[in-house]
């Protein structure tokens, strides 16, 4: 009999499965506590369950995390792990330590179906969606590495989670939603909803759900202030143009000055970084409680863009700031290990390709 991974099963689904096994609902609570509060890796050690229950569970389920296939540490303290899943596919997870918090950047897909022209992940084929277990598993592996069990109350290495790794999370909504419910459940990994941020390139029909059902923070990869340019940079804009995207942002549930949308804006030299762009940007988002995150472009081999000059970035930031919006410039972290925004996976794909493909493929990669 093939055993099921008990990690990543929604509370409802597990309750139904347990009921079929003749186990009452409170057992789910107990098992979740072992799995997600204590990080337990074996049913054997769940000492408030009878022998009979432990055996039953071990017959049906396994407790499985992704495997760490390689680990790299940047000079700035950022760490990147290449994780391998059951079928041999891989995705990357990055930990970024800061003074007052630790942020884990997780992936939602292997690759991405979208083709944003400035993003290296976008040049790689989608292999598949990650399952809820694989999404939750990324956080659990990081907790294992930091020895962060049982879940501490304050001062965590992983206080914040951002879905800004590989993939478009709103194109894998169901699995992402199941995973987030486990991450934010008090009896799950107990992370604050506000400290989880989902970044989307603008899958408009799913944005409302994200707010209503999950209540997490939202980041929008905006990058341009008119449809012509955004069509080029983020081709999904042809399907969901700026007007619709901004409308969805205005309607995002529970927005306030304390709960703002983050607009991400990658700074591309001579493309979207003029004073006129900055002025259009503040007009565009008028009335939306927002902050603007300016991201210096992280180059990758043969990328068609260059990063804006520091002068252009500060002039842009100044205009946005004067209009009343926080405009932090995102310090690139982990560039030396290709862990910065938009650089993920590239190295691992390249390595694999080198192993299995011809030289021509290497050039194409
Ligand atoms: N697919 C989602 C989340 C992953 S990308 C999205 O697009 O929002 C996370 C962030 O990194 C996005 O804002 C994306 O636009 C940005 N990004 C992608 N490539 C980049 C690059 N080369 N340099 C800087 N930021 C980049
Ligand atoms: Fe996909 Fe986001 Fe990269 Fe666009 S920026 S290709 S949506 S991962």
């Amino acid at each position: 009999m093939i055993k099921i991974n008990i990690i990543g099963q929604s509370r409802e689904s597990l309750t139904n499965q347990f009921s079929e096994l003749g186990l009452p609902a409170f057992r789910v609570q107990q098992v979740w506590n072992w799995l997600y509060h204590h990080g337990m890796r074996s049913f054997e050690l769940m000492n408030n369950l009878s022998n009979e229950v432990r055996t039953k569970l071990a017959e049906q389920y396994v407790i499985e995390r992704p495997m760490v296939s390689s680990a790299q540490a940047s000079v700035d303290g950022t760490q990147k792990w290449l994780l391998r899943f059951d079928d041999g596919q891989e995705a990357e997870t990055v930990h970024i330590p800061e003074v007052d918090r630790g942020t884990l950047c997780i992936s939602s897909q292997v690759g991405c179906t979208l083709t944003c022209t400035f993003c290296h992940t976008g040049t790689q084929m989608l292999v598949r969606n990650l399952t809820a277990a694989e999404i939750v598993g990324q956080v659990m592996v990081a907790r294992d590495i930091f020895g962060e069990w049982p879940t501490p109350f304050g001062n965590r290495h992983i206080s914040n989670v951002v879905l800004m790794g590989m993939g478009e999370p709103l194109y894998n909504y169901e699995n992402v939603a199941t995973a987030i419910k486990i991450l934010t459940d008090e009896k799950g990994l107990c992370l604050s909803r506000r400290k989880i941020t989902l970044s989307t390139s603008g899958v408009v029909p799913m944005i409302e759900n994200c707010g209503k059902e999950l209540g997490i923070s939202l980041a929008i990869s905006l990058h341009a202030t008119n449809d012509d340019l955004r069509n080029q940079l983020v081709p999904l804009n042809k399907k969901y143009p700026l007007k619709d995207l901004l409308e969805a942002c205005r309607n995002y549930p529970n927005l306030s000055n304390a709960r703002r949308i983050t607009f991400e804006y990658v700074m591309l030299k001579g493309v979207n970084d003029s004073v006129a762009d900055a002025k259009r940007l503040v007009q565009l988002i008028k009335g939306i409680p927002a902050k603007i995150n300016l991201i210096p472009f992280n180059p990758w081999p043969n990328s068609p863009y260059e990063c804006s000059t520091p002068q252009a970035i500060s002039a842009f930031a100044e205009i946005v700031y004067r209009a009343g919006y926080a405009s932090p410039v995102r310090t690139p972290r982990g560039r030396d290990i290709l862990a910065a925004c938009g650089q993920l996976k590239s190295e691992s794909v390249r390595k694999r390709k080198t192993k299995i493909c011809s030289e021509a493929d290497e050039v194409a990669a």
Side-chain angles (χ1 to χ4, degrees):
M1 189 182 72
I2 296 175
K3 295 186 187 180
I4 306 170
N5 189 2
I6 199 164
I7 303 289
Q9 302 278 337
S10 73
R11 203 183 248 283
E12 298 72 31
S13 163
L14 205 57
T15 307
N16 291 336
Q17 294 169 34
F18 273 31
S19 153
E20 277 172 25
L21 294 171
L23 298 173
F26 76 89
R27 294 287 183 208
V28 173
Q29 199 79 343
Q30 287 178 317
V31 171
W32 263 44
N33 192 53
W34 284 118
L35 295 175
Y36 300 122
H37 184 65
H38 292 282
M40 189 68 77
R41 310 184 71 144
S42 144
F43 294 110
E44 251 327 274
L45 301 170
M46 299 184 178
N47 62 16
N48 58 353
L49 307 179
S50 68
N51 261 338
E52 193 195 339
V53 172
R54 286 186 241 169
T55 309
K56 210 176 233 183
L57 292 175
E59 279 167 7
Q60 298 288 326
Y61 299 103
V62 286
I63 304 172
E64 218 167 63
R65 331 256 217 252
M67 225 184 68
V68 179
S69 158
S70 70
Q72 282 177 282
S74 159
V75 287
D76 69 16
T78 299
Q79 295 189 66
K80 180 172 85 167
W81 301 289
L82 179 64
L83 301 184
R84 182 173 303 149
F85 306 111
D86 260 0
D87 61 353
Q89 294 298 342
E90 292 171 331
E92 286 175 334
T93 302
V94 177
H95 181 261
I96 306 145
E98 284 167 280
V99 180
D100 56 341
R101 71 186 117 159
T103 302
L104 194 72
C105 176
I106 62 176
S107 295
S108 56
Q109 299 181 309
V110 174
C112 188
T113 46
L114 299 175
T115 51
C116 304
T117 46
F118 51 85
C119 174
H120 204 184
T121 310
T123 66
Q124 295 155 9
M125 254 186 328
L126 167 76
V127 182
R128 67 171 173 82
N129 282 335
L130 294 184
T131 63
E134 291 162 343
I135 298 168
V136 173
Q138 294 175 62
V139 180
M140 297 182 78
V141 165
R143 283 252 180 106
D144 291 342
I145 289 168
F146 289 114
E148 209 149 67
W149 304 113
T151 305
F153 284 105
N155 259 342
R156 298 182 186 176
H157 279 100
I158 301 156
S159 57
N160 296 51
V161 169
V162 294
L163 284 104
M164 294 186 185
M166 293 166 56
E168 169 48 60
L170 294 187
Y171 268 1
N172 182 18
Y173 184 77
E174 252 178 50
N175 292 334
V176 164
T178 302
I180 285 175
K181 287 179 190 166
I182 296 171
L183 295 182
T184 54
D185 196 300
E186 265 189 5
K187 302 284 177 207
L189 285 156
C190 198
L191 284 150
S192 153
R193 282 192 166 71
R194 283 162 185 245
K195 293 186 176 174
I196 298 188
T197 305
L198 181 147
S199 173
T200 178
S201 56
V203 185
V204 168
M206 301 310 292
I207 288 178
E208 188 181 354
N209 270 20
C210 178
K212 270 202 186 139
E213 194 186 348
L214 307 177
I216 52 176
S217 304
L218 182 69
I220 300 284
S221 291
L222 194 66
H223 309 316
T225 55
N226 63 62
D227 282 320
D228 276 351
L229 182 60
R230 196 161 191 273
N231 288 345
Q232 285 174 40
L233 299 179
V234 185
L236 185 67
N237 192 70
K238 293 180 202 153
K239 200 164 177 189
Y240 306 117
L242 276 172
K243 184 170 162 291
D244 299 352
L245 177 58
L246 292 163
E247 179 69 15
C249 290
R250 284 203 165 80
N251 295 332
Y252 194 68
N254 300 321
L255 277 191
S256 69
N257 268 339
R259 289 214 69 183
R260 290 173 290 172
I261 290 184
T262 302
F263 288 98
E264 296 161 284
Y265 196 94
V266 63
M267 298 299 296
L268 304 171
K269 186 178 190 175
V271 175
N272 66 354
D273 62 351
S274 70
V275 166
D277 282 308
K279 289 184 175 163
R280 258 199 313 270
L281 174 59
V282 295
Q283 281 306 316
L284 213 53
I285 61 165
K286 214 174 195 164
I288 305 176
K291 59 181 169 222
I292 319 270
N293 208 328
L294 300 177
I295 315 175
F297 171 64
N298 290 309
W300 33 274
N302 301 324
S303 52
Y305 303 104
E306 281 175 71
C307 184
S308 306
T309 62
Q311 292 81 353
I313 297 178
S314 33
F316 199 105
E318 183 66 21
I319 293 168
V320 174
Y321 179 72
R322 287 230 186 110
Y325 297 97
S327 55
V329 178
R330 191 181 289 175
T331 318
R333 298 289 300 265
R335 265 187 179 171
D336 55 336
I337 55 166
L338 281 184
C341 302
Q343 295 182 315
L344 289 190
K345 182 70 176 183
S346 37
E347 179 70 1
S348 44
V349 164
R350 205 177 59 73
K351 267 193 199 150
R352 253 210 326 262
K353 281 202 164 201
T354 316
K355 265 190 246 149
I356 57 178
C357 300
S358 66
E359 257 175 58
D361 266 335
E362 253 289 83
V363 175

